[in-house]
Every structure is written in C-alpha cells, then in structure tokens.
Amino acid sequence: MRKKITMPGVFMYDGNDDNLFQNYAAVAQRLTVYTVKDYVDILEYFVERWNVEKLTGLSGEGRRAQEYVCGLGQRLRKMEERAQEKAMEAASTIPFSWIFGREVKI
C-alpha cells in the first residue's frame, strides 16, 4: 500500500503528447469529473464498511498496515487541498490531438 498507485492510463499515448494521461487527469480534476476527493470517498467508504479500524488480533505488521490505511484518507485530503491551490495558481492550456488540437485549460 505504501508504494505509488499507478493507473493503467499512464501508458496512454496519442503519438504526440508524452504526458497525455497527466494532462487528461488534470482536466478531469479541474472539471471535477473524477477527483482525488472521489477516490478518497471510495477509500473511506470501504474502510468503514469493512470495519478496518475495529479489526483485532493483528500481527505487528497488520496493526501498522491498519493504522496506515485508516489514516490514508485524511492524508490524501490534505494533499488534494494543496494540489487544488497549486493548480489554480499554475493554470495553463495544452492542445489535445484527439480533439483536433483544441487548447484545453489544465
């Protein structure tokens, strides 16, 4: 869990843009199509649904993993807030080849 989660879309390539997925994800985040908040909401839903914080009888490694997973939502929300602030400051546009080179604000 502590390793970076890699989305399959990072391998998207349109023949022009080496950062296609990152740019697409930035647009989706800005438009609130699918955001870090959505991801965190899903994570927190399952942590609560599966009663992860109430699990007992875990090994030392299991308790550390439990603490990590139970605190992950809060850490990600803080990261999202900082990312949103940074995105607002650094707004720019980039062309997307699959919409005929139209410039889109990221």
Side-chain angles (χ1 to χ4, degrees):
M1 282 294 302
R2 294 180 189 269
K3 296 187 180 196
K4 183 179 175 184
I5 297 170
T6 302
M7 301 295 288
V10 298
F11 301 112
M12 289 186 340
Y13 183 63
D14 62 357
N16 296 311
D17 187 356
D18 291 331
N19 298 312
L20 181 62
F21 179 76
Q22 291 86 351
N23 293 331
Y24 176 80
V27 171
Q29 174 82 15
R30 187 181 62 76
L31 296 174
T32 67
V33 172
Y34 182 73
T35 67
V36 173
K37 180 189 177 309
D38 297 314
Y39 176 80
V40 173
D41 288 345
I42 293 166
L43 172 73
E44 289 177 339
Y45 169 81
F46 283 115
V47 166
E48 182 179 337
R49 171 80 182 211
W50 296 332
N51 294 312
V52 174
E53 58 192 32
K54 295 177 184 173
L55 294 175
T56 59
L58 301 172
S59 66
E61 182 181 8
R63 284 191 304 278
R64 286 187 296 277
Q66 179 185 40
E67 290 174 15
Y68 177 78
V69 169
C70 289
L72 190 56
Q74 184 177 7
R75 286 191 299 277
L76 289 173
R77 287 193 193 282
K78 287 179 185 177
M79 287 173 51
E80 179 202 14
E81 289 173 13
R82 288 190 297 258
Q84 286 290 352
E85 291 169 4
K86 187 176 180 181
M88 294 305 224
E89 294 170 4
S92 62
T93 61
I94 189 155
F96 283 90
S97 67
W98 43 274
I99 51 174
F100 308 105
R102 180 177 171 201
E103 295 273 331
V104 178
K105 187 175 180 181
I106 60 171

